[in-house]
Amino acid sequence: MNLEQIMPLSTWAIILVGVLCVIELIWILVLQNRMKGFQKSYLALQTFLDGSSLDEQLKEYINKVNYINTNLEATEKRMDQAELKLRSAIDRAELVRFNAFDNMGSDLSFALALLNQQGDGVVLSSINNREESRVYAKPVIQGESTYHLSQEEKAAIVKAKETIKI
């Protein structure tokens, strides 16, 4: 006797489909059980001990970061303006004292260079003798002057230019 004679082919197909349905049902139950575990873990991750949720915390941190970025941009703008002003401000000063006349006993004369970061500014000179004292001011642009400079004035400018730049 043939197997086909005992059960027709359609019956075998129905049994095979039924077995596959049972296997799929078992697989669905296993996946559903795993999904419940993931949901529990997700909820545990979402809520903290203080009762707040992760979404709330993230929104709060995003708002804080946006606020900080806005403040940073404003601060950078103010800082750029301050740096421009600082570069043009006098920040280098050097004094060279000297004896302008042989008959004077001490170094009462001086040359004072006052320069900014670009080497612009002024050099002040004071020439002292027994009867009088004279003060001269000469503009300095990039470490040079259109006026004749004495050796002492040049030395004061060189010293001032050699100081540390910011």
Side-chain angles (χ1 to χ4, degrees), residues 79-135:
M79 187 68 125
D80 290 342
Q81 292 171 346
E83 285 179 351
L84 283 173
K85 191 171 186 175
L86 181 63
R87 283 192 181 101
S88 64
I90 301 297
D91 66 341
R92 301 188 208 174
E94 285 296 330
L95 179 71
V96 174
R97 296 179 63 91
F98 61 95
N99 188 359
F101 303 103
D102 292 333
N103 60 353
M104 297 292 291
S106 62
D107 294 341
L108 296 177
S109 299
F110 66 87
L112 174 65
L114 302 168
L115 304 177
N116 65 11
Q117 291 289 313
Q118 286 78 29
D120 300 340
V122 66
V123 62
L124 299 173
S125 298
S126 174
I127 308 295
N128 291 302
N129 65 21
R130 292 188 191 269
E131 287 95 35
E132 65 184 353
S133 176
R134 294 186 183 223
V135 177

Short mmCIF file of all heavy atoms in Angstrom, two decimals, residues 79-135:
data_model
loop_
_atom_site.label_atom_id
_atom_site.label_comp_id
_atom_site.label_asym_id
_atom_site.label_seq_id
_atom_site.Cartn_x
_atom_site.Cartn_y
_atom_site.Cartn_z
N MET A 79 34.35 89.82 23.13
CA MET A 79 35.78 89.55 23.27
C MET A 79 36.54 90.07 22.05
O MET A 79 37.63 90.64 22.20
CB MET A 79 36.02 88.04 23.41
CG MET A 79 37.44 87.71 23.71
SD MET A 79 37.88 88.29 25.33
CE MET A 79 38.46 86.80 26.00
N ASP A 80 35.98 89.92 20.86
CA ASP A 80 36.62 90.44 19.66
C ASP A 80 36.77 91.96 19.74
O ASP A 80 37.82 92.51 19.40
CB ASP A 80 35.82 90.06 18.40
CG ASP A 80 35.90 88.57 18.09
OD1 ASP A 80 36.83 87.90 18.60
OD2 ASP A 80 35.05 88.08 17.33
N GLN A 81 35.72 92.63 20.22
CA GLN A 81 35.79 94.08 20.36
C GLN A 81 36.84 94.48 21.40
O GLN A 81 37.61 95.43 21.18
CB GLN A 81 34.42 94.64 20.76
CG GLN A 81 33.38 94.52 19.68
CD GLN A 81 31.99 94.88 20.18
OE1 GLN A 81 31.75 94.98 21.38
NE2 GLN A 81 31.07 95.07 19.24
N ALA A 82 36.89 93.75 22.49
CA ALA A 82 37.87 94.05 23.54
C ALA A 82 39.30 93.82 23.04
O ALA A 82 40.21 94.59 23.35
CB ALA A 82 37.61 93.21 24.79
N GLU A 83 39.51 92.74 22.27
CA GLU A 83 40.84 92.47 21.73
C GLU A 83 41.28 93.56 20.75
O GLU A 83 42.45 93.95 20.75
CB GLU A 83 40.88 91.10 21.05
CG GLU A 83 40.90 89.96 22.03
CD GLU A 83 40.91 88.59 21.37
OE1 GLU A 83 40.74 88.51 20.13
OE2 GLU A 83 41.08 87.61 22.08
N LEU A 84 40.35 94.03 19.92
CA LEU A 84 40.69 95.13 19.01
C LEU A 84 41.11 96.36 19.78
O LEU A 84 42.10 97.03 19.44
CB LEU A 84 39.50 95.45 18.11
CG LEU A 84 39.25 94.50 16.94
CD1 LEU A 84 37.95 94.85 16.24
CD2 LEU A 84 40.41 94.54 15.97
N LYS A 85 40.35 96.67 20.82
CA LYS A 85 40.67 97.84 21.63
C LYS A 85 42.00 97.64 22.36
O LYS A 85 42.81 98.57 22.46
CB LYS A 85 39.54 98.09 22.63
CG LYS A 85 39.63 99.42 23.32
CD LYS A 85 38.38 99.70 24.11
CE LYS A 85 38.43 101.10 24.66
NZ LYS A 85 37.20 101.47 25.34
N LEU A 86 42.24 96.45 22.84
CA LEU A 86 43.48 96.16 23.57
C LEU A 86 44.70 96.27 22.66
O LEU A 86 45.74 96.78 23.07
CB LEU A 86 43.41 94.76 24.19
CG LEU A 86 44.60 94.32 25.01
CD1 LEU A 86 44.78 95.23 26.21
CD2 LEU A 86 44.44 92.89 25.45
N ARG A 87 44.56 95.80 21.42
CA ARG A 87 45.69 95.87 20.50
C ARG A 87 46.08 97.32 20.18
O ARG A 87 47.24 97.61 19.91
CB ARG A 87 45.37 95.13 19.21
CG ARG A 87 45.47 93.64 19.36
CD ARG A 87 45.43 92.92 18.03
NE ARG A 87 45.50 91.50 18.24
CZ ARG A 87 44.46 90.69 18.20
NH1 ARG A 87 43.27 91.16 17.93
NH2 ARG A 87 44.60 89.40 18.42
N SER A 88 45.09 98.21 20.18
CA SER A 88 45.40 99.61 19.87
C SER A 88 45.81 100.39 21.13
O SER A 88 46.29 101.51 21.02
CB SER A 88 44.21 100.28 19.21
OG SER A 88 43.11 100.32 20.09
N ALA A 89 45.65 99.80 22.30
CA ALA A 89 46.02 100.48 23.55
C ALA A 89 47.52 100.37 23.80
O ALA A 89 48.18 99.43 23.37
CB ALA A 89 45.26 99.86 24.72
N ILE A 90 48.04 101.35 24.49
CA ILE A 90 49.46 101.34 24.85
C ILE A 90 49.68 100.24 25.89
O ILE A 90 49.08 100.23 26.95
CB ILE A 90 49.88 102.71 25.44
CG1 ILE A 90 49.63 103.84 24.44
CG2 ILE A 90 51.32 102.68 25.91
CD1 ILE A 90 50.43 103.75 23.18
N ASP A 91 50.53 99.30 25.54
CA ASP A 91 50.82 98.22 26.48
C ASP A 91 52.32 97.94 26.61
O ASP A 91 52.71 97.00 27.28
CB ASP A 91 50.06 96.95 26.10
CG ASP A 91 50.53 96.35 24.80
OD1 ASP A 91 51.17 97.06 24.01
OD2 ASP A 91 50.27 95.16 24.56
N ARG A 92 53.12 98.74 25.95
CA ARG A 92 54.57 98.57 26.06
C ARG A 92 55.19 99.93 26.40
O ARG A 92 54.98 100.90 25.68
CB ARG A 92 55.15 98.09 24.74
CG ARG A 92 54.57 96.80 24.29
CD ARG A 92 55.35 96.36 23.11
NE ARG A 92 54.54 95.56 22.25
CZ ARG A 92 54.95 95.14 21.08
NH1 ARG A 92 56.13 95.47 20.64
NH2 ARG A 92 54.19 94.40 20.34
N ALA A 93 55.93 99.96 27.45
CA ALA A 93 56.59 101.19 27.88
C ALA A 93 58.02 100.86 28.29
O ALA A 93 58.24 99.91 29.04
CB ALA A 93 55.84 101.82 29.04
N GLU A 94 58.93 101.61 27.74
CA GLU A 94 60.35 101.42 28.10
C GLU A 94 60.99 102.79 28.32
O GLU A 94 60.74 103.74 27.57
CB GLU A 94 61.10 100.67 27.02
CG GLU A 94 60.81 99.18 26.98
CD GLU A 94 61.24 98.43 28.23
OE1 GLU A 94 62.23 98.84 28.87
OE2 GLU A 94 60.59 97.42 28.54
N LEU A 95 61.81 102.86 29.33
CA LEU A 95 62.47 104.10 29.72
C LEU A 95 63.98 103.92 29.60
O LEU A 95 64.53 102.93 30.08
CB LEU A 95 62.10 104.44 31.17
CG LEU A 95 62.73 105.70 31.75
CD1 LEU A 95 62.11 106.94 31.10
CD2 LEU A 95 62.54 105.74 33.25
N VAL A 96 64.61 104.89 28.94
CA VAL A 96 66.08 104.91 28.86
C VAL A 96 66.53 106.23 29.47
O VAL A 96 66.16 107.30 29.01
CB VAL A 96 66.56 104.81 27.39
CG1 VAL A 96 68.07 104.99 27.31
CG2 VAL A 96 66.13 103.50 26.78
N ARG A 97 67.28 106.15 30.54
CA ARG A 97 67.82 107.35 31.21
C ARG A 97 69.23 107.60 30.69
O ARG A 97 69.98 106.67 30.44
CB ARG A 97 67.81 107.15 32.71
CG ARG A 97 66.39 107.00 33.28
CD ARG A 97 66.43 106.79 34.78
NE ARG A 97 66.99 107.92 35.47
CZ ARG A 97 66.30 108.96 35.93
NH1 ARG A 97 65.00 108.98 35.79
NH2 ARG A 97 66.89 109.95 36.57
N PHE A 98 69.57 108.88 30.58
CA PHE A 98 70.90 109.21 30.08
C PHE A 98 71.30 110.60 30.56
O PHE A 98 70.47 111.37 31.03
CB PHE A 98 70.95 109.12 28.54
CG PHE A 98 70.02 110.06 27.83
CD1 PHE A 98 70.46 111.30 27.38
CD2 PHE A 98 68.69 109.69 27.59
CE1 PHE A 98 69.60 112.15 26.71
CE2 PHE A 98 67.84 110.55 26.92
CZ PHE A 98 68.27 111.78 26.48
N ASN A 99 72.58 110.88 30.45
CA ASN A 99 73.14 112.17 30.82
C ASN A 99 73.30 112.96 29.52
O ASN A 99 74.14 112.64 28.69
CB ASN A 99 74.48 111.99 31.53
CG ASN A 99 75.02 113.29 32.09
OD1 ASN A 99 74.40 114.34 31.95
ND2 ASN A 99 76.17 113.20 32.72
N ALA A 100 72.48 114.00 29.33
CA ALA A 100 72.50 114.77 28.08
C ALA A 100 73.71 115.69 27.99
O ALA A 100 74.17 115.99 26.88
CB ALA A 100 71.22 115.56 27.94
N PHE A 101 74.23 116.14 29.10
CA PHE A 101 75.36 117.08 29.11
C PHE A 101 76.46 116.56 30.00
O PHE A 101 76.21 115.97 31.05
CB PHE A 101 74.88 118.46 29.59
CG PHE A 101 73.75 119.00 28.76
CD1 PHE A 101 72.45 118.97 29.24
CD2 PHE A 101 73.98 119.54 27.51
CE1 PHE A 101 71.41 119.46 28.48
CE2 PHE A 101 72.94 120.03 26.74
CZ PHE A 101 71.65 120.00 27.22
N ASP A 102 77.66 116.84 29.60
CA ASP A 102 78.82 116.34 30.37
C ASP A 102 78.95 116.99 31.73
O ASP A 102 79.43 116.38 32.67
CB ASP A 102 80.12 116.59 29.58
CG ASP A 102 80.18 115.73 28.33
OD1 ASP A 102 79.55 114.65 28.34
OD2 ASP A 102 80.85 116.15 27.36
N ASN A 103 78.48 118.20 31.88
CA ASN A 103 78.66 118.90 33.15
C ASN A 103 77.57 118.57 34.18
O ASN A 103 77.56 119.12 35.26
CB ASN A 103 78.73 120.42 32.92
CG ASN A 103 77.45 120.95 32.27
OD1 ASN A 103 76.58 120.18 31.90
ND2 ASN A 103 77.37 122.26 32.15
N MET A 104 76.66 117.67 33.84
CA MET A 104 75.60 117.25 34.78
C MET A 104 76.07 116.02 35.54
O MET A 104 76.75 115.16 34.97
CB MET A 104 74.31 116.94 34.03
CG MET A 104 73.70 118.13 33.29
SD MET A 104 73.09 119.40 34.39
CE MET A 104 71.72 118.59 35.12
N GLY A 105 75.67 115.92 36.78
CA GLY A 105 76.17 114.84 37.62
C GLY A 105 75.42 113.52 37.51
O GLY A 105 75.96 112.48 37.82
N SER A 106 74.18 113.50 37.07
CA SER A 106 73.43 112.24 37.05
C SER A 106 72.59 112.14 35.78
O SER A 106 72.48 113.09 35.01
CB SER A 106 72.53 112.14 38.28
OG SER A 106 71.59 113.20 38.28
N ASP A 107 71.97 110.98 35.59
CA ASP A 107 71.15 110.73 34.40
C ASP A 107 69.74 111.29 34.61
O ASP A 107 68.79 110.55 34.88
CB ASP A 107 71.08 109.22 34.13
CG ASP A 107 72.41 108.64 33.75
OD1 ASP A 107 73.30 109.42 33.36
OD2 ASP A 107 72.56 107.41 33.84
N LEU A 108 69.61 112.59 34.47
CA LEU A 108 68.30 113.23 34.66
C LEU A 108 67.49 113.28 33.37
O LEU A 108 66.28 113.45 33.41
CB LEU A 108 68.47 114.64 35.21
CG LEU A 108 69.09 114.73 36.60
CD1 LEU A 108 69.28 116.18 37.01
CD2 LEU A 108 68.25 113.99 37.62
N SER A 109 68.11 113.14 32.24
CA SER A 109 67.39 113.13 30.97
C SER A 109 66.89 111.72 30.70
O SER A 109 67.46 110.73 31.18
CB SER A 109 68.31 113.58 29.84
OG SER A 109 68.77 114.90 30.07
N PHE A 110 65.82 111.63 29.91
CA PHE A 110 65.28 110.30 29.61
C PHE A 110 64.55 110.31 28.27
O PHE A 110 64.17 111.35 27.75
CB PHE A 110 64.34 109.82 30.71
CG PHE A 110 63.08 110.64 30.85
CD1 PHE A 110 61.95 110.35 30.09
CD2 PHE A 110 63.02 111.70 31.74
CE1 PHE A 110 60.80 111.10 30.22
CE2 PHE A 110 61.87 112.46 31.87
CZ PHE A 110 60.75 112.15 31.11
N ALA A 111 64.37 109.09 27.75
CA ALA A 111 63.53 108.84 26.57
C ALA A 111 62.56 107.74 26.98
O ALA A 111 62.97 106.69 27.46
CB ALA A 111 64.36 108.42 25.38
N LEU A 112 61.27 108.01 26.82
CA LEU A 112 60.21 107.07 27.21
C LEU A 112 59.41 106.70 25.97
O LEU A 112 58.79 107.56 25.34
CB LEU A 112 59.30 107.70 28.26
CG LEU A 112 58.06 106.90 28.66
CD1 LEU A 112 58.46 105.61 29.36
CD2 LEU A 112 57.16 107.73 29.56
N ALA A 113 59.44 105.43 25.59
CA ALA A 113 58.66 104.94 24.44
C ALA A 113 57.38 104.29 24.96
O ALA A 113 57.43 103.41 25.82
CB ALA A 113 59.48 103.95 23.63
N LEU A 114 56.24 104.73 24.43
CA LEU A 114 54.93 104.17 24.77
C LEU A 114 54.31 103.64 23.47
O LEU A 114 53.91 104.42 22.60
CB LEU A 114 54.03 105.24 25.39
CG LEU A 114 54.56 105.92 26.65
CD1 LEU A 114 53.72 107.13 27.00
CD2 LEU A 114 54.59 104.93 27.80
N LEU A 115 54.24 102.31 23.33
CA LEU A 115 53.80 101.69 22.07
C LEU A 115 52.67 100.70 22.30
O LEU A 115 52.53 100.13 23.39
CB LEU A 115 54.97 100.96 21.41
CG LEU A 115 56.23 101.75 21.11
CD1 LEU A 115 57.29 100.85 20.51
CD2 LEU A 115 55.93 102.92 20.19
N ASN A 116 51.89 100.45 21.23
CA ASN A 116 50.87 99.40 21.26
C ASN A 116 51.43 98.15 20.57
O ASN A 116 52.61 98.09 20.23
CB ASN A 116 49.56 99.88 20.63
CG ASN A 116 49.68 100.19 19.15
OD1 ASN A 116 50.67 99.88 18.50
ND2 ASN A 116 48.66 100.81 18.60
N GLN A 117 50.55 97.16 20.32
CA GLN A 117 50.99 95.89 19.73
C GLN A 117 51.57 96.04 18.33
O GLN A 117 52.44 95.28 17.93
CB GLN A 117 49.81 94.91 19.67
CG GLN A 117 49.35 94.41 21.01
CD GLN A 117 50.34 93.47 21.64
OE1 GLN A 117 50.82 92.55 21.00
NE2 GLN A 117 50.66 93.70 22.89
N GLN A 118 51.10 97.04 17.57
CA GLN A 118 51.59 97.24 16.21
C GLN A 118 52.86 98.10 16.16
O GLN A 118 53.40 98.33 15.09
CB GLN A 118 50.51 97.90 15.34
CG GLN A 118 49.38 96.97 14.94
CD GLN A 118 48.37 96.75 16.06
OE1 GLN A 118 48.17 97.61 16.90
NE2 GLN A 118 47.76 95.58 16.08
N GLY A 119 53.31 98.59 17.31
CA GLY A 119 54.48 99.45 17.34
C GLY A 119 54.15 100.91 17.12
O GLY A 119 55.03 101.72 16.84
N ASP A 120 52.87 101.25 17.24
CA ASP A 120 52.44 102.64 17.10
C ASP A 120 52.36 103.28 18.48
O ASP A 120 52.00 102.62 19.45
CB ASP A 120 51.06 102.71 16.43
CG ASP A 120 51.06 102.10 15.04
OD1 ASP A 120 52.15 101.98 14.46
OD2 ASP A 120 49.97 101.77 14.55
N GLY A 121 52.66 104.58 18.54
CA GLY A 121 52.57 105.29 19.81
C GLY A 121 53.35 106.58 19.78
O GLY A 121 53.32 107.32 18.79
N VAL A 122 54.08 106.81 20.84
CA VAL A 122 54.81 108.06 21.00
C VAL A 122 56.10 107.79 21.77
O VAL A 122 56.15 106.86 22.58
CB VAL A 122 53.93 109.12 21.71
CG1 VAL A 122 53.64 108.72 23.13
CG2 VAL A 122 54.55 110.49 21.65
N VAL A 123 57.10 108.61 21.49
CA VAL A 123 58.31 108.58 22.30
C VAL A 123 58.46 109.98 22.91
O VAL A 123 58.39 110.98 22.20
CB VAL A 123 59.56 108.15 21.50
CG1 VAL A 123 59.88 109.09 20.38
CG2 VAL A 123 60.77 107.97 22.40
N LEU A 124 58.57 110.01 24.22
CA LEU A 124 58.74 111.27 24.96
C LEU A 124 60.20 111.38 25.38
O LEU A 124 60.77 110.42 25.89
CB LEU A 124 57.85 111.29 26.20
CG LEU A 124 56.34 111.19 25.98
CD1 LEU A 124 55.63 111.04 27.31
CD2 LEU A 124 55.85 112.42 25.25
N SER A 125 60.75 112.57 25.17
CA SER A 125 62.14 112.80 25.58
C SER A 125 62.19 114.02 26.47
O SER A 125 61.52 115.02 26.21
CB SER A 125 63.03 113.06 24.36
OG SER A 125 63.03 111.94 23.52
N SER A 126 62.98 113.93 27.50
CA SER A 126 63.19 115.06 28.40
C SER A 126 64.68 115.31 28.46
O SER A 126 65.47 114.41 28.77
CB SER A 126 62.64 114.75 29.79
OG SER A 126 62.97 115.78 30.68
N ILE A 127 65.07 116.53 28.14
CA ILE A 127 66.47 116.95 28.19
C ILE A 127 66.60 117.91 29.37
O ILE A 127 65.96 118.96 29.40
CB ILE A 127 66.91 117.64 26.89
CG1 ILE A 127 66.57 116.78 25.67
CG2 ILE A 127 68.39 118.01 26.94
CD1 ILE A 127 67.32 115.48 25.61
N ASN A 128 67.41 117.55 30.33
CA ASN A 128 67.60 118.36 31.54
C ASN A 128 69.01 118.93 31.59
O ASN A 128 69.98 118.23 31.34
CB ASN A 128 67.37 117.50 32.80
CG ASN A 128 65.93 117.11 32.95
OD1 ASN A 128 65.07 117.96 33.04
ND2 ASN A 128 65.66 115.81 32.96
N ASN A 129 69.06 120.22 31.94
CA ASN A 129 70.36 120.83 32.25
C ASN A 129 70.17 121.65 33.53
O ASN A 129 69.12 121.61 34.15
CB ASN A 129 70.92 121.64 31.07
CG ASN A 129 70.08 122.85 30.73
OD1 ASN A 129 69.31 123.34 31.56
ND2 ASN A 129 70.24 123.34 29.52
N ARG A 130 71.15 122.44 33.90
CA ARG A 130 71.08 123.18 35.17
C ARG A 130 69.99 124.24 35.20
O ARG A 130 69.38 124.47 36.22
CB ARG A 130 72.43 123.82 35.46
CG ARG A 130 73.49 122.80 35.76
CD ARG A 130 74.76 123.49 36.22
NE ARG A 130 75.86 122.55 36.25
CZ ARG A 130 76.18 121.83 37.31
NH1 ARG A 130 75.48 121.93 38.41
NH2 ARG A 130 77.19 121.01 37.27
N GLU A 131 69.73 124.90 34.08
CA GLU A 131 68.76 126.01 34.07
C GLU A 131 67.35 125.61 33.66
O GLU A 131 66.39 126.24 34.05
CB GLU A 131 69.25 127.13 33.12
CG GLU A 131 70.41 127.92 33.64
CD GLU A 131 71.73 127.38 33.11
OE1 GLU A 131 71.76 126.92 31.96
OE2 GLU A 131 72.71 127.41 33.86
N GLU A 132 67.23 124.59 32.82
CA GLU A 132 65.89 124.28 32.30
C GLU A 132 65.76 122.80 31.96
O GLU A 132 66.74 122.06 31.92
CB GLU A 132 65.60 125.13 31.07
CG GLU A 132 66.50 124.83 29.90
CD GLU A 132 66.26 125.75 28.72
OE1 GLU A 132 65.31 126.54 28.74
OE2 GLU A 132 67.05 125.68 27.77
N SER A 133 64.52 122.44 31.69
CA SER A 133 64.21 121.08 31.25
C SER A 133 63.24 121.20 30.08
O SER A 133 62.26 121.94 30.14
CB SER A 133 63.56 120.31 32.41
OG SER A 133 63.18 119.05 31.96
N ARG A 134 63.50 120.46 29.02
CA ARG A 134 62.64 120.49 27.84
C ARG A 134 62.11 119.08 27.58
O ARG A 134 62.83 118.10 27.72
CB ARG A 134 63.40 120.98 26.62
CG ARG A 134 63.82 122.42 26.78
CD ARG A 134 64.45 122.92 25.52
NE ARG A 134 64.89 124.29 25.75
CZ ARG A 134 64.72 125.25 24.89
NH1 ARG A 134 64.13 125.01 23.74
NH2 ARG A 134 65.16 126.45 25.15
N VAL A 135 60.83 119.04 27.18
CA VAL A 135 60.19 117.75 26.88
C VAL A 135 59.75 117.77 25.42
O VAL A 135 59.16 118.75 24.95
CB VAL A 135 58.97 117.51 27.80
CG1 VAL A 135 58.27 116.21 27.43
CG2 VAL A 135 59.40 117.49 29.25
#
